[in-house]
């Protein structure tokens, strides 16, 4: 066989090493064009409603004025951040936000996992579907409706909870007006409203576990508890870690609707959080530059938290967001 010249070797080298010409990338994109077309609306939504509004972050460094617009308003540098970090109210609000989120992380986060495990163990399909419908339903109610239900249940005069306390000879409790009760009410109402919906993710993860593992464990004599410990929990561990990483990223973000519906001035010391503070300062007092500074602060801290948690998860397990 005639020996190849040096030029021929260089020409054939990319093919021998598995290199792909650029045209093959476009050819693959054309092959899956309909899938990319389905992806396009989602990308456009994120670009329009998530990336374009980042332009408004500029007002955190300006003394924003409606008549002058964003570019016409004068630059003030870090003036608004200095005001925030020098305010005792701001630290109190950040503390309230962190405490409520840590309570939810500690008490509310495990509930969907436990609920999914319990639903997965149910043998009666009809009973399982009924329970699922009941626990999913509160998610589809707005906080205006669900919060109104909570207020009525905890009413000191006609509420079901206080009527039960009276039946046992106890005095009625003003749950939503006492600082020591407000945070537990927030956490409990979050559990009642969202735990059923959150369980869907874990039920999907449970359905992906190979049933042959349970059959093999049964043959080996494993009981239900041993199957839970050695098969079920390891099977959903990755999903739990991913959800935990995402949850930690929102430690400085408490839902505005829930707090705004349930709180009142008597519990501002424990219930006033960043979202309600932004509403009062931004919309009621029209101090948009300060609220933009708070929003930027939230975003930066949230990114640091989610990046740190992801690094820890990546180091000590095989699961991470990136």
């Amino acid at each position: 066989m005639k020996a190849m010249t040096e030029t021929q070797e260089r020409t054939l080298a990319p093919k021998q090493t598995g290199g792909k010409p650029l045209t093959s990338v476009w050819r693959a994109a054309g092959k899956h064009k309909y899938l990319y077309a389905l992806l396009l609306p989602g990308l456009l939504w994120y670009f329009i409603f998530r990336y374009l509004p980042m332009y408004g972050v500029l007002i955190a460094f300006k003394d924003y004025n409606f008549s002058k617009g964003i570019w016409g308003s004068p630059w003030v540098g870090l003036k608004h951040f200095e005001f925030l970090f020098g305010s005792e109210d701001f630290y109190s609000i950040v503390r309230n936000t962190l405490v409520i989120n840590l309570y939810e992380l500690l008490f509310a986060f495990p509930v969907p996992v436990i609920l999914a495990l319990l639903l997965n163990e149910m043998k009666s399909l009809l009973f399982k579907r009924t329970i699922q419908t009941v626990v999913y339903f509160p998610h589809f109610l707005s906080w205006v409706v669900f919060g109104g239900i909570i207020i009525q249940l905890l009413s000191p005069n006609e509420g079901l909870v206080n009527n039960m306390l009276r039946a046992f000879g106890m005095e009625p409790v003003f749950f939503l007006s006492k600082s020591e009760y407000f945070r537990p009410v927030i956490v409990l109402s979050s559990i009642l409203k969202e735990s059923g919906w959150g369980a869907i993710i874990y039920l999907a993860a449970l359905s992906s576990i190979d049933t042959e593992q349970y059959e093999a464990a049964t043959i080996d004599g494993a009981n239900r508890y041993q199957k839970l410990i050695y098969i079920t929990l390891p099977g959903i561990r990755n999903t739990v870690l991913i959800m935990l990483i995402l949850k930690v990223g929102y430690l400085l973000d408490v839902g505005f609707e829930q707090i705004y519906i349930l709180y009142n001035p008597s519990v501002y010391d424990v219930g006033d959080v960043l979202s309600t503070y932004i509403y009062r300062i931004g919309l009621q007092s029209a101090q948009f530059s300060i609220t933009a500074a708070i929003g930027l602060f939230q975003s930066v801290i949230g990114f640091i938290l989610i990046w740190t948690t992801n690094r820890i998860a990546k180091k000590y397990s095989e699961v991470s967001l990136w």
Side-chain angles (χ1 to χ4, degrees), residues 59-65 68-69 73-76 79-80 289:
I59 68 176
F61 306 95
K62 287 173 168 281
D63 191 6
Y64 180 67
N65 187 291
K68 296 179 180 178
S73 300
W75 290 94
V76 294
K79 172 185 173 182
H80 302 301
S289 295

Side-chain angles (χ1 to χ4, degrees), residues 3 17 39 123 138 165 181 196 212 217 220 228 251 279 294:
T17 58
L39 182 63
K123 301 302 181 182
L165 293 178
Y181 296 113
E212 292 183 358
D220 291 338
L228 174 67
L251 280 180
Y279 170 76
I294 297 174

